[in-house]
Amino acid sequence: SLLCVVFLLLPVTLISALGIFSEHPYMLAILIAAIILSKERLSPADCLSAAVLIGIATLIRTVGVAAILALVIVLIKQVLVGKMSWRSTALYVLLALAPGILWSIVKILNGYDQSYVNAVVDSSYAQTLAGIFDQLSTNSRALRHHFTSLFNSGGTAVTLAHVIFCMFAIVAWLKRIKVGAFDAIYVLSYLAIILMWPYPNHMARFIFVVLPFLMFYAYDGARLTLRGLGTEISSANQRRIAITGICILITSLAGPKTKAIIGDVVSPSSTDNAMLARTPNWHTLRKSNRESKITTLEKILDSMGKVQQLTPRQACVSSGEPHYIHYFARRRSLKPPGKNTSKEIFNKRLADC
């Protein structure tokens, strides 16, 4: 549909397409699960497929637990109306939890005792809660700032357009949360988690994951608003007006930035920038900061080349950023053992890598 084309041409979509990010397979799994669970009557095959997809999504990104919570609520709703048994519900929930649990066990057995949860949990419950409350204020500001940056930034007209977008989206989201729709519960749970997450600088990536839902809500909210006005416009024309209006609104916001990104990629300013213009960092930094970033990237690439020269093909390289070693140096790499790792596992890990 037209809304999908607009989403694909958003600045944040184009920038993320230039890198290798876990958001893409995660979004695919969640979106397919949401489509399956949007059915009025869910068959056992539907529930099984959705649980597997959500389990895979949680394996890709820990924040997938938001989808598990939404799945639990949707399945309990099915039980309460007599469409599903408690036993089946428990089975599907366990199926969704299994990949994450099994991976956690594998990590612990291999000395990986750290996870993203460690970034939130402090030495006591009181300190953990205090840290979360402090983070809420910071992340709320980051959420507003980075939501704007997904399209464009600056100016009263831009701010007004974002307000209109959000008002329509909230109208549709409230309607869907009222009927217990999976997607609405997931979006609520997901946003609650990222508001507590101590990584405000990554908020644009975090919001990007639920942007397809927000764009659909904006369209649906506009449609519902037209219907609520009691006009004589047919339902089909209400949908056409709503989708056209929202697409024009988003395009007016994103158009200049989208044009600049495509221009940099297709026609870079110089030969030296041709490769760098195809990296996400090039488009997320101010022009004044690009030179220092280029220098850093060149040093990384140079060091990766030296890793290839100095190590045999079968070598394992211990690194705090193993994905750099995997991609650029083409060598196996593991993070150093965690500080709470037992002596036996610590020695084994160092022997292995």
Side-chain angles (χ1 to χ4, degrees):
S1 73
L2 186 59
L3 206 59
C4 292
V5 174
V6 171
F7 172 75
L8 291 173
L9 291 174
L10 285 177
V12 65
T13 310
L14 295 175
I15 291 170
S16 68
L18 295 172
I20 301 174
F21 298 109
S22 59
E23 279 84 356
H24 303 123
Y26 173 82
M27 289 171 68
L28 179 63
I30 292 293
L31 286 169
I32 296 175
I35 292 170
I36 293 171
L37 293 171
S38 65
K39 297 179 181 178
E40 190 172 338
R41 292 187 63 86
L42 295 173
S43 68
D46 291 332
C47 296
L48 180 65
S49 300
V52 170
L53 286 165
I54 291 170
I56 293 171
T58 307
L59 193 60
I60 296 170
R61 293 191 66 84
T62 310
V63 76
V65 295
I68 294 179
L69 175 61
L71 176 67
V72 169
I73 294 173
V74 168
L75 293 180
I76 289 176
K77 180 185 169 185
Q78 293 286 310
V79 172
L80 295 178
V81 296
K83 295 180 179 179
M84 188 179 295
S85 67
W86 284 108
R87 178 180 292 181
S88 297
T89 297
L91 177 64
Y92 296 135
V93 172
L94 285 173
L95 192 59
L97 288 168
I101 293 173
L102 291 173
W103 177 239
S104 296
I105 292 172
V106 169
K107 287 198 299 181
I108 292 170
L109 291 176
N110 285 276
Y112 288 94
D113 58 347
Q114 298 293 310
S115 70
Y116 281 119
V117 177
N118 295 107
V120 179
V121 177
D122 212 318
S123 56
S124 69
Y125 290 116
Q127 288 179 317
T128 298
L129 289 174
I132 289 173
F133 280 117
D134 287 341
Q135 200 64 48
L136 288 174
S137 175
T138 301
N139 282 4
S140 296
R141 293 193 298 271
L143 183 65
R144 291 194 299 270
H145 170 75
H146 287 287
F147 177 73
T148 302
S149 73
L150 294 178
F151 305 102
N152 213 324
S153 59
T156 305
V158 171
T159 303
L160 179 61
H162 281 91
V163 170
I164 294 171
F165 178 95
C166 291
M167 286 177 61
F168 284 141
I170 290 171
V171 167
W173 174 79
L174 287 174
K175 177 177 177 290
R176 294 188 66 76
I177 201 79
K178 186 177 178 180
V179 299
F182 167 83
D183 56 271
I185 300 168
Y186 164 68
V187 168
L188 176 62
S189 304
Y190 180 89
L191 291 177
I193 290 173
I194 66 171
L195 280 173
M196 296 184 292
W197 219 237
Y199 298 98
N201 292 340
H202 293 276
M203 194 60 72
R205 285 177 58 199
F206 296 158
I207 306 170
F208 171 62
V209 169
V210 292
L211 193 55
F213 294 109
L214 300 181
M215 289 176 64
F216 170 77
Y217 294 158
Y219 148 70
D220 201 38
R223 182 186 63 82
L224 291 170
T225 302
L226 283 172
R227 192 175 69 181
L229 293 175
T231 60
E232 295 182 359
I233 304 172
S234 66
S235 296
N237 284 333
Q238 286 176 5
R239 290 193 295 271
R240 292 190 187 100
I241 293 170
I243 193 72
T244 303
I246 292 300
C247 286
I248 290 173
L249 178 69
I250 296 173
T251 303
S252 66
L253 289 170
K257 200 169 182 178
T258 295
K259 181 181 177 182
I261 292 170
I262 294 174
D264 276 352
V265 172
V266 175
S267 303
S269 57
S270 70
T271 306
D272 293 336
N273 294 340
M275 182 188 74
L276 294 165
R278 289 174 170 79
T279 63
N281 291 328
W282 180 263
H283 305 282
T284 55
L285 290 171
R286 295 176 181 174
K287 290 185 178 180
S288 58
N289 295 335
R290 283 178 176 173
E291 291 301 321
S292 61
K293 193 66 180 180
I294 290 169
T295 302
T296 302
L297 287 172
E298 286 175 342
K299 287 180 179 178
I300 291 173
L301 291 173
D302 182 59
S303 64
M304 293 304 106
K306 290 178 180 177
V307 168
Q308 277 189 318
Q309 296 169 14
L310 298 173
T311 58
R313 186 178 296 274
Q314 298 78 17
C316 179
V317 181
S318 184
S319 172
E321 299 288 349
H323 54 281
Y324 277 112
I325 305 294
H326 295 157
Y327 186 77
F328 292 110
R330 305 300 188 197
R331 295 293 184 267
R332 179 169 169 259
S333 180
L334 294 173
K335 284 190 175 184
K339 63 180 180 180
N340 296 323
T341 305
S342 66
K343 184 178 179 180
E344 291 76 17
I345 294 178
F346 184 88
N347 292 333
K348 182 178 182 301
R349 282 287 308 282
L350 288 183
D352 291 339
C353 190

